[in-house]
Amino acid sequence: MSFLDGYTVLDLASVGPAARASRILADFGMRIIKVAPVAANGAKQVDPVFHAYGAGRGTRRMRVDLKSDAGRDTLMRLAAHVDVVIESYRPGVAARLGVGYTDFAAHNPKIVYCSTSGYGQDGPCAQWVGHDLNYLAMSGFLACSGRDAEGRPALPGATLADGAGGGMHAAQSILAALLRRERTGEGACLDVAITDGVLNLMSLYLDQYLATGEDTGPGSGVLTGKYAWYGVYATGDGGHLAVGAIEGHFFRNLCRLLELESFADHQYDDAQQDAMRAAFAARFLTRSRDEWVSLLAGADTCVAPVLSVPEVVAHPQFRTRDLFMTAEHPKRGRFEQLAPLLAGCERHQPVHHVAPAGHTDTDAILAEAGFPARQIAELRTAGCIE
C-alpha cells in the first residue's frame, strides 16, 4: 500500500511547479483530478506533451467551465470529496473566478489549499510573470553559478526552481498541512512562492552573508570553484569528470592516484591553487573519462563521470534500482519513463496506459461524488463540463 492512499487532490493547473507537486503526490499514492477549462470555449491552457509529468500516471481528467455558475457549483460540490486543491493562477485570479481558498473552505473547512506562484501572493513582485530562469535569477542562484564563454551566468541544466523551489516545496508543505489536519482537524491556505523555495536552496550563501557580510560568487568559495579539487575537468576523449574531494583524506587519495602527491599537504593553500588546477587538468587529459572513472570513482576520491541523458538512462546504477518503467500510448506505442522513485514510492509498477488526447473522466468523477446521471447529462448539454 502506498503511503498516501486515500487522499485526493484537485489540481487546477496544467504545467510547471503545480504539476510537479501533483506528480510527487501521485507517486506516493494520492489520487489526482486534473481540472482544465472546457475546450468548446477556446481555452488556451497549455497541454503538456504526452510524456511529461509521468504521462498522466495516477491522474484522471475533467473539463469544467469555471466562468459559468453551474461549472463553479460543480467544482464546489467536489470540494467535500477532496483533501487538497492546487492552483497556479496569477495572485488574485482564483478568488475572482470564485475558486479561491475561501470558496472551497466554505464547502470543506478541512481543505488544504495550495497556491503556487513565482513570487508569492503579496509583495512588489507578486504580479510579475516568469519562468524557471527568472526565479533562479531573482534568488541569487545565477549570480553564484559558473560563467559561459562570454562571462554571463551559465544556463542551468535542470529546472531547479520549478522542480525543487516550486514542486517539491509545494508537496512538502501540503504534507505538513495534512499532518496538522490529522491532529487538529484544521485546513490550511498555503502560499508557495517558487523564489522562496529557491532561497531555501541558497541558504548556505544567504546565511553566510547575513551573518558575516561575506558575498558569494563564482570562484569565491569551496562550492563555487575557489579550489582546484572541486570542479569539472576535461578528459582525453572529450568527456568530463566532476571532482569534489572536500575532505582531507579523499583529497590525499586523489593526489596519490593522480601521482601528484606534491600537492597533498596544500589542499587549502591559495597560492598553490592555480598550479594544482593546471596539473590536475593536464593529468586528466592523459586518459579517457571512463578509464579515470575505473581508477578513481571507487577509490574514495569523490570523482564521478559527467553523464549525458542517454548515458544516465542506460547506467547500471539506475537500472539496478528500478528507476524506470514502461508506458504505452495509444498512438505512439510503448516507451519508458521514470518510475515513482522518491524514497517510499512503489517502484515496481505495471505498464501505464496513457489516456488519448482529449480524454476526460468527468462523468465517472462526478458520479463518484454523488451527481445523478441526469444532472451530469444536463451539465454536459449546457457545456459546463466535458
Side-chain angles (χ1 to χ4, degrees), residues 11 51 60 72 84 210 257:
D11 184 352
H51 52 76
R60 294 192 296 173
R72 287 192 299 274
V84 177
L210 291 169
L257 290 169

Side-chain angles (χ1 to χ4, degrees), residues 59 88 134 242 285 345 376:
T59 300
S88 61
N134 307 113
L285 286 173
C345 289
I376 295 173

Side-chain angles (χ1 to χ4, degrees), residues 79-137:
H81 301 271
V82 304
D83 302 280
V84 177
V85 174
I86 303 177
E87 62 90 3
S88 61
Y89 296 109
R90 194 181 296 202
V93 172
R96 290 200 298 271
L97 289 173
V99 293
Y101 169 66
T102 56
D103 301 296
F104 277 98
H107 293 81
N108 181 359
K110 295 184 177 181
I111 202 81
V112 172
Y113 188 95
C114 178
S115 297
T116 65
S117 63
Y119 303 101
Q121 300 299 303
D122 56 12
C125 304
Q127 293 298 323
W128 288 10
V129 295
H131 286 295
D132 191 90
L133 187 65
N134 307 113
Y135 311 138
L136 294 178

Side-chain angles (χ1 to χ4, degrees), residues 361-385:
D361 307 283
T362 306
D363 290 7
I365 292 168
L366 296 182
E368 291 172 8
F371 284 69
R374 185 176 68 178
Q375 186 178 16
I376 295 173
E378 291 173 350
L379 289 167
R380 185 173 288 279
T381 300
C384 299
I385 62 171

